[in-house]
Amino acid sequence: MDDVEKAILISFEESGAIDSALKSQALSFCQQIKETPTVCRICIEKLCFCNLVQVQFWCLQTLHEVIRVKYAMLSLEEKDFIRKSVFSMCCFEVIDDKNNNAVRILEGAPAFIKNKLAQVFVTLVYFDYPLIWSSVFVDFLPHLRKGAVVIDMFCRILNALDDELISLDYPRTPEEMGVAGRVKDAIRQQCITQIVNVWYEIVSMYRNSDLDLCSSVLESMRRYISWIDIGLIVNDAFIPLLFQLILVSGRSEQLQGAAAGCVLAVVSKRMDHQSKLAILQNLQINRVFGLVTGDIDSELVSKVAALITGYAVEVLECYKRVNTEDAKGVSLELLNEVLPSVFYVMQNCEVDNTFSIVQFLSCYVATMKSLSPLREKQLHHVGKMLEVICAQIRYDPIYRENLDMLDKIGREEEEKMVEFRKDLFVLLRSVARVAPDVTQMFIRNSLVSCISSVSERNVEEVEASLSLLYALGESLSDEAIKTGSGLLSELVPTLISTRFQCHFNRLVALVYLETITRYIKFVQEHTDYVPMVLTAFLDERGIHHPNFHVRRRASYLFMRVVKLLKAKLVPFIESILQSLQDTVTRFTSLNHTSNDFLGSEDGSHIFEAIGLLIGMEDVPSEKQSDYLSSLLTPLCHQVETLLINANALSPEESPAKIANIQQVIMAINALSKGFSERLVTASRPAIGVMFKKTLDVLLQILVVFPKIEPLRNKVTSFIHRMVDTLGASVFPFLPKALGQLLAESEPKEMVGFLVLLNQLICKFSTSVHDIVEEVFPAIAGRIFSLIPTEPFPLGHGTNSEEIRELQELQKTLYTFLHVITTHDLSSVFLSPKSRDYLDKMMQLLLQSACHHEDILVRKACVQIFIRLIKDWCTRPDVEAKVPGFRSFIIDGFAKNCCFYSALDKSFEFHDANTLILFGEIVLAQKVMYEKFGDGFLIHFVTNCFTTAHCPQDVAAQYCQKLQVTK
């Protein structure tokens, strides 16, 4: 063993037994070898005389790298030497037959060595075939007589040629595409007929003695069928041989599968559709249908399933493309023949096949729209399709308990099924559009079958049937559901009135309620079924179901149903409230240590549903007051009790009690959504009084718990609600509310505070002038103490939570200032207490208008300036309301924002938002000319256009345009 071999062995050592310094030295030595001019000869020499696989692999890898990168720089003699040497190795020959120590690399070599050798061979083909190495494949064929070793190597070379150059499964450069075309053209012209003949001879010769070799040959052949003359394969010799191999059972499934792969390649080959139809018809593919009934986990069944699916896809494509009625008739017959096997494959084989089949069936259904009405055969296929869909969407009973408890396994299984069902439900909806009567009848029969079953063990069947009915609803128009078209007039009442034996199951209960909600518009038109719907939601099938997840979802869906049916539920309000009494009571006396905790979403949806019911003007005034009082009184009492005892709470009790208060606020907030401003303030002011008292109670929370962020957020949300509900009558409560919210606000909370003020200004405009004027100085002082005057830093470490909160606060501030100015409240900035912050505000707005990274923020800032100019500057000959404002606008805003910022590289005119900003800048210039007159134009030209070395005529033309569009 010489130094080169030792270095290679050490470099491959991964056990840790070799000293790291020695390994580093070995790697360095190997790299030096790679860089020597004679590296190719060294590698070939080692391949001739060394049988160590590490050395062989390193030499082949190095040879491959050198050929790929430096081949053009090698001499003609060296190239010839490499070609002859590699060719000899692949043909199982000894390069130096005079040396007794010479080895044949293929002799006993592992697969990865052979594959690497094939890769080197193909790299030479890439550069030299057919222009220089023109006869390489022709010269190789006679060596196949040497037997299995060379045949196997030939297959590896063909596979490598496909992988490295020809196959379109991998991304290729334009150069590689060009070389691939050149190589394929040369093979087609020169030797493909001989290669195909060799394939046939080898398979015929070895089919009984070396099944693995035959499989390898067929796998290679499959790769080439797509671009060679189809007549070389589709003939009286090869096709019968392939089917013989497929149909002979009990020997080698690998060989059967390889033959099936070749037939699939024939079927999938692109060609004229009339010619393809003739080939498909002559294949007599029905001979293989029985093979898919074998072991579904076997490779053979998978390959035959793929063949059947591919065949069906191509037949359908032929049906769509051929023009003659005879050809369409043949296609339809072939489809009718193959579809039962397609359904079998879909129901029994692997998921990958299922997805491709679903896509095929969707295309089939879409194509069958042209056969209107559908013929008997097609109707039969549609029925079978629905059976398969129903079977496919069923959960495996083995996961029943996991899905019911919704543990980790159950969640994973449910997520998988939801994803798996998507394509199947798309197919179902397509079928329903093409054959609505058949689809509805199938779902009806499936549902009736489930109802008639007295067993509790049909959970999966019931869930699947209900899911089909739910999915069907997505393909129906609102009008079809309302009128109960087809069998819906029978299906929906059956659904509503049914109590399944397995209703205790979470999945069944959920899909049952979802399906009722899906078809609720039918009930809206057929009010006789309203009591049954209410019963379904309010009994143990819905809100009183033993499963928490079902109860919570049922509450949400019930709220949606109430929203839709609303006025039709007035006669049932009493009974609904009575049914919900235990739920409401549990909520209003909530104890977070109880296992019966309903969850925040559950409570809020129940109270929203109740609010929608009792908030209607159809409810008598006295009853409405009683209903609302019976809910608000205990909720407010609960808050008052907790607030009184707040100081006595232990650290262990505080989180639970705070959570209690959160829940109560959410309940009241949800309850109020059902009451309109007109009802509360005009027609029934007594209701408004109740909400005012409630607001007064909840505002005490800010006093007792000023720094508890979740409570502040919930109270703020309720104030938002009361602004919409109470209208202007909320004003007396605002000073106290705003004062408390502002007192302890952090950046994140200040954002919420500004959003609340924005709502008030947008709703009441100048009516809230005094309120805004009162709080603005405190807001400005707080914000300007938090946000920096310079732009936020960029780069590493600048994306912290604190920085993000300040950035959000700054953006919200711009929105707040924009809302103030666009609602005629700019005088707020001029109050004695606010004037102290005016300069800071102007500088911040100017900085952001010129340089903020968000174009929309820059636009908002420009719009603020436009409004301020209009409000504070009347005419050119009259001094502005604010001393120094005019000069600030002309010297600062006009020059920096309206001129230089537009010249900055960040100003991308191809961006739509930037164009809008530019429009605002132009508008600002027009407004400045209108308010400041010719003095503005003179200043603008002198300080901007002239300084920027703009030609005088262009500047004059621009100013003229501003004057014309005044």
Side-chain angles (χ1 to χ4, degrees):
M1 189 185 301
D2 61 17
D3 290 343
V4 174
E5 294 168 4
K6 287 177 183 177
I8 293 170
L9 289 177
I10 292 171
S11 69
F12 276 96
E13 177 58 49
E14 297 293 341
S15 67
I18 300 294
D19 178 69
S20 59
L22 180 60
K23 185 170 182 177
S24 178
Q25 189 179 352
L27 288 168
S28 178
F29 182 73
C30 289
Q31 187 60 37
Q32 289 174 18
I33 297 295
K34 285 185 179 182
E35 293 168 3
T36 59
T38 58
V39 62
C40 291
R41 288 189 176 272
I42 293 172
C43 288
I44 290 170
E45 181 184 340
K46 292 298 173 191
L47 290 168
C48 290
F49 298 107
C50 182
N51 56 10
L52 295 170
V53 291
Q54 295 95 327
V55 175
Q56 291 176 341
F57 184 82
W58 186 89
C59 291
L60 289 170
Q61 178 68 29
T62 302
L63 208 55
H64 177 249
E65 290 174 7
V66 171
I67 295 169
R68 191 166 52 85
V69 178
K70 301 178 181 178
Y71 193 64
M73 294 182 279
L74 299 179
S75 66
L76 293 176
E77 181 185 355
E78 194 160 12
K79 288 180 182 179
D80 187 57
F81 172 70
I82 294 171
R83 284 196 298 270
K84 287 180 178 177
S85 300
V86 171
F87 186 84
S88 296
M89 284 186 266
C90 291
C91 293
F92 201 50
E93 292 185 341
V94 176
I95 297 174
D96 187 357
D97 53 9
K98 296 176 183 177
N99 193 319
N100 294 330
N101 294 322
V103 298
R104 289 183 172 89
I105 192 171
L106 296 184
E107 196 164 28
F112 68 89
I113 294 293
K114 295 176 184 178
N115 290 338
K116 183 55 72 174
L117 178 58
Q119 191 180 32
V120 173
F121 188 100
V122 167
T123 309
L124 291 169
V125 169
Y126 180 95
F127 287 109
D128 290 344
Y129 180 78
L131 301 178
I132 298 169
W133 205 12
S134 58
S135 62
V136 55
F137 293 108
V138 175
D139 292 343
F140 202 111
L141 294 177
H143 292 276
L144 298 178
R145 299 194 192 95
K146 294 176 183 176
V149 174
V150 181
I151 294 171
D152 173 74
M153 191 62 212
F154 186 59
C155 291
R156 292 178 192 275
I157 288 170
L158 293 178
N159 293 348
L161 184 63
D162 183 59
D163 288 335
E164 299 290 320
L165 186 59
I166 295 173
S167 174
L168 296 177
D169 293 338
Y170 310 98
R172 308 288 186 197
T173 65
E175 181 190 349
E176 289 170 337
M177 295 286 284
V179 173
R182 185 187 74 209
V183 169
K184 288 195 292 185
D185 289 343
I187 290 175
R188 276 191 286 247
Q189 292 172 13
Q190 186 187 59
C191 57
I192 193 60
T193 303
Q194 296 97 302
I195 291 174
V196 172
N197 289 337
V198 164
W199 284 336
Y200 180 82
E201 291 169 7
I202 292 170
V203 173
S204 300
M205 183 184 302
Y206 287 94
R207 60 185 291 191
N208 295 315
S209 57
D210 196 334
L211 305 182
D212 290 342
L213 184 66
C214 290
S215 300
S216 298
V217 170
L218 292 177
E219 286 292 346
S220 297
M221 184 177 97
R222 174 187 60 79
R223 295 167 175 252
Y224 286 74
I225 290 174
S226 65
W227 56 269
I228 66 175
D229 178 9
I230 194 63
L232 295 172
I233 307 296
V234 179
N235 51 51
D236 293 338
F238 232 128
I239 291 298
L241 174 62
L242 291 173
F243 274 95
Q244 286 172 24
L245 296 173
I246 295 172
L247 296 170
V248 174
S249 59
R251 301 198 62 189
S252 169
E253 287 196 351
Q254 184 183 354
L255 179 57
Q256 289 177 280
C262 289
V263 176
L264 177 57
V266 169
V267 165
S268 306
K269 184 174 172 64
R270 288 186 297 179
M271 65 181 83
D272 170 71
H273 288 93
Q274 192 70 46
S275 303
K276 175 172 274 193
L277 182 60
I279 291 174
L280 295 175
Q281 188 177 16
N282 291 331
L283 283 179
Q284 300 175 36
I285 202 76
N286 56 7
R287 291 178 284 176
V288 306
F289 290 168
L291 295 178
V292 292
T293 59
D295 180 7
I296 60 170
D297 294 325
S298 74
E299 185 181 349
L300 173 62
V301 170
S302 178
K303 289 287 181 69
V304 174
L307 171 57
I308 290 172
T309 305
Y311 175 86
V313 168
E314 295 301 326
V315 171
L316 178 60
E317 196 61 26
C318 287
Y319 175 82
K320 287 155 60 176
R321 304 292 180 188
V322 294
N323 298 318
T324 67
E325 286 302 315
D326 288 345
K328 283 191 176 293
V330 170
S331 303
L332 208 53
E333 285 178 17
L334 295 179
L335 275 172
N336 291 335
E337 182 182 51
V338 75
L339 275 170
S341 293
V342 171
F343 295 141
Y344 182 89
V345 168
M346 182 179 175
Q347 197 162 348
N348 296 282
C349 295
E350 287 301 312
V351 170
D352 288 345
N353 282 320
T354 300
F355 281 131
S356 60
I357 292 170
V358 170
Q359 292 165 5
F360 157 71
L361 291 176
S362 295
C363 292
Y364 172 77
V365 171
T367 306
M368 289 305 107
K369 286 180 184 177
S370 61
L371 295 177
S372 183
L374 294 182
R375 300 167 190 171
E376 186 179 344
K377 269 286 186 186
Q378 279 68 56
L379 289 172
H380 173 74
H381 293 323
V382 165
K384 296 300 290 184
M385 219 178 290
L386 292 168
E387 286 179 20
V388 174
I389 293 171
C390 188
Q392 285 284 292
I393 65 170
R394 283 180 194 160
Y395 283 96
D396 190 331
I398 196 172
Y399 298 112
R400 186 180 298 174
E401 286 188 18
N402 304 100
L403 287 160
D404 204 34
M405 294 186 295
L406 205 60
D407 57 16
K408 183 183 177 185
I409 295 172
R411 280 195 183 88
E412 289 174 357
E413 194 61 26
E414 188 168 14
E415 287 170 6
K416 278 164 52 181
M417 182 58 85
V418 167
E419 191 61 33
F420 177 70
R421 284 177 168 183
K422 285 179 181 176
D423 287 337
L424 290 166
F425 283 153
V426 170
L427 176 59
L428 173 73
R429 290 190 287 273
S430 299
V431 172
R433 281 188 282 269
V434 174
D437 295 341
V438 175
T439 306
Q440 290 184 24
M441 180 59 74
F442 176 84
I443 294 174
R444 174 202 171 278
N445 293 340
S446 175
L447 206 56
V448 168
S449 173
C450 291
I451 293 169
S452 62
S453 173
V454 294
S455 171
E456 294 182 359
R457 290 178 292 182
N458 66 338
V459 170
E460 290 73 30
E461 289 86 344
V462 172
E463 195 276 338
S465 294
L466 290 172
S467 295
L468 287 178
L469 181 55
Y470 177 86
L472 173 67
E474 294 184 316
S475 68
L476 300 172
S477 66
D478 286 349
E479 190 60 33
I481 293 176
K482 280 181 182 178
T483 57
S485 67
L487 290 174
L488 287 183
S489 57
E490 177 188 348
L491 275 170
V492 179
T494 301
L495 169 74
I496 295 168
S497 60
T498 298
R499 292 174 180 268
F500 293 101
Q501 291 291 323
C502 54
H503 234 121
F504 62 87
N505 180 270
R506 182 185 68 87
L507 285 175
V508 171
L510 285 174
V511 72
Y512 176 76
L513 296 172
E514 295 279 3
T515 308
I516 290 179
T517 308
R518 167 70 68 189
Y519 290 95
I520 200 65
K521 286 183 179 173
F522 173 86
V523 180
Q524 195 178 19
E525 295 296 313
H526 303 80
T527 53
D528 292 348
Y529 298 107
V530 168
M532 283 193 279
V533 169
L534 292 175
T535 303
F537 274 99
L538 297 172
D539 66 16
E540 68 283 352
R541 288 172 290 175
I543 290 170
H544 290 91
H545 195 280
N547 186 288
F548 159 74
H549 299 286
V550 175
R551 291 199 304 273
R552 193 158 83 169
R553 186 64 179 170
S555 299
Y556 167 72
L557 293 174
F558 180 64
M559 181 268 293
R560 282 179 52 193
V561 167
V562 169
K563 215 174 246 186
L564 192 67
L565 297 181
K566 220 166 179 186
K568 295 179 172 59
L569 298 179
V570 172
F572 306 98
I573 289 178
E574 200 78 49
S575 59
I576 291 171
L577 293 177
Q578 194 172 350
S579 297
L580 292 173
Q581 187 61 46
D582 58 337
T583 303
V584 171
T585 301
R586 284 203 305 274
F587 192 87
T588 54
S589 58
L590 201 54
N591 181 354
H592 280 258
T593 61
S594 167
N595 292 326
D596 203 24
F597 174 52
L598 297 173
S600 60
E601 290 304 311
D602 190 352
S604 64
H605 289 136
I606 284 290
F607 277 88
E608 185 174 349
I610 293 172
L612 290 167
L613 284 169
I614 67 174
M616 291 184 282
E617 292 201 30
D618 304 273
V619 179
S621 176
E622 189 177 337
K623 280 199 168 187
Q624 193 172 54
S625 297
D626 290 342
Y627 291 148
L628 185 59
S629 177
S630 68
L631 292 162
L632 288 180
T633 301
L635 289 169
C636 289
H637 177 70
Q638 189 178 348
V639 173
E640 289 171 327
T641 303
L642 288 168
L643 293 178
I644 291 169
N645 299 321
N647 292 330
L649 293 177
S650 67
E652 292 79 16
E653 291 177 311
S654 289
K657 298 306 179 184
I658 288 169
N660 267 353
I661 297 173
Q662 280 182 253
Q663 293 288 4
V664 171
I665 301 170
M666 289 177 66
I668 296 172
N669 203 349
L671 185 67
S672 68
K673 290 179 182 179
F675 294 84
S676 68
E677 181 181 347
R678 194 179 68 81
L679 181 139
V680 167
T681 59
S683 60
R684 297 180 185 177
I687 300 296
V689 172
M690 289 190 214
F691 279 117
K692 290 175 191 174
K693 288 180 180 177
T694 303
L695 177 58
D696 198 38
V697 170
L698 297 190
L699 288 177
Q700 292 301 314
I701 295 169
L702 298 176
V703 178
V704 178
F705 297 105
K707 296 185 178 181
I708 306 297
E709 184 185 348
L711 290 180
R712 290 171 62 90
N713 292 339
K714 293 293 184 293
V715 173
T716 303
S717 177
F718 183 64
I719 297 171
H720 277 289
R721 168 55 42 197
M722 288 300 99
V723 169
D724 284 337
T725 305
L726 295 174
S729 62
V730 80
F731 281 12
F733 298 91
L734 292 178
K736 177 182 177 182
L738 297 176
Q740 288 295 331
L741 288 172
L742 188 57
E744 302 285 345
S745 57
E746 295 298 322
K748 197 172 178 182
E749 293 157 344
M750 182 61 81
V751 169
F753 181 76
L754 293 180
V755 171
L756 175 59
L757 283 174
N758 288 344
Q759 181 197 17
L760 288 167
I761 296 168
C762 290
K763 185 172 178 67
F764 301 114
S765 194
T766 54
S767 300
V768 290
H769 177 276
D770 292 346
I771 294 173
V772 177
E773 186 176 85
E774 180 67 29
V775 297
F776 184 78
I779 293 170
R782 181 77 179 124
I783 291 178
F784 286 126
S785 70
L786 290 170
I787 60 175
T789 53
E790 297 298 318
F792 286 99
L794 300 173
H796 181 69
T798 61
N799 194 30
S800 65
E801 182 67 25
E802 182 183 358
I803 295 291
R804 287 197 298 272
E805 286 182 4
L806 290 176
Q807 288 173 327
E808 182 64 25
L809 175 59
Q810 189 189 65
K811 287 182 73 171
T812 310
L813 171 65
Y814 296 135
T815 305
F816 175 55
L817 298 176
H818 189 272
V819 169
I820 287 177
T821 54
T822 53
H823 286 81
D824 300 319
L825 290 171
S826 62
S827 60
V828 165
F829 303 141
L830 305 180
S831 70
K833 291 181 181 178
S834 298
R835 275 183 180 268
D836 294 341
Y837 302 103
L838 191 57
D839 183 59
K840 283 186 178 179
M841 186 178 82
M842 291 297 136
Q843 293 299 335
L844 178 66
L845 286 171
L846 180 58
Q847 170 72 26
S848 299
C850 296
H851 305 297
H852 200 284
E853 61 180 358
D854 188 336
I855 292 294
L856 296 178
V857 168
R858 290 167 71 172
K859 182 191 78 171
C861 292
V862 172
Q863 289 173 335
I864 291 170
F865 276 118
I866 292 172
R867 288 301 303 233
L868 292 178
I869 294 168
K870 288 180 177 179
D871 289 351
W872 294 351
C873 304
T874 52
R875 295 193 312 274
D877 56 337
V878 178
E879 179 58 40
K881 291 181 182 178
V882 183
F885 180 69
R886 180 179 293 183
S887 60
F888 169 79
I889 290 295
I890 293 175
D891 295 335
F893 175 67
K895 182 172 73 171
N896 296 312
C897 178
C898 295
F899 188 79
Y900 285 111
S901 76
L903 301 180
D904 190 79
K905 62 181 179 181
S906 65
F907 218 85
E908 300 280 354
F909 280 97
H910 64 268
D911 174 65
N913 286 327
T914 303
L915 282 176
I916 295 171
L917 169 60
F918 185 68
E920 294 295 334
I921 288 173
V922 172
L923 176 61
Q925 293 173 7
K926 292 177 184 177
V927 171
M928 285 187 284
Y929 173 67
E930 178 186 338
K931 298 295 183 181
F932 305 148
D934 293 335
F936 161 71
L937 289 181
I938 295 167
H939 194 279
F940 199 50
V941 169
T942 306
N943 287 278
C944 297
F945 286 96
T946 304
T947 309
H949 306 294
C950 180
Q952 283 291 330
D953 60 327
V954 174
Q957 189 179 358
Y958 187 83
C959 291
Q960 187 180 6
K961 291 287 184 184
L962 278 181
Q963 289 172 301
V964 170
T965 55
K966 177 179 172 182

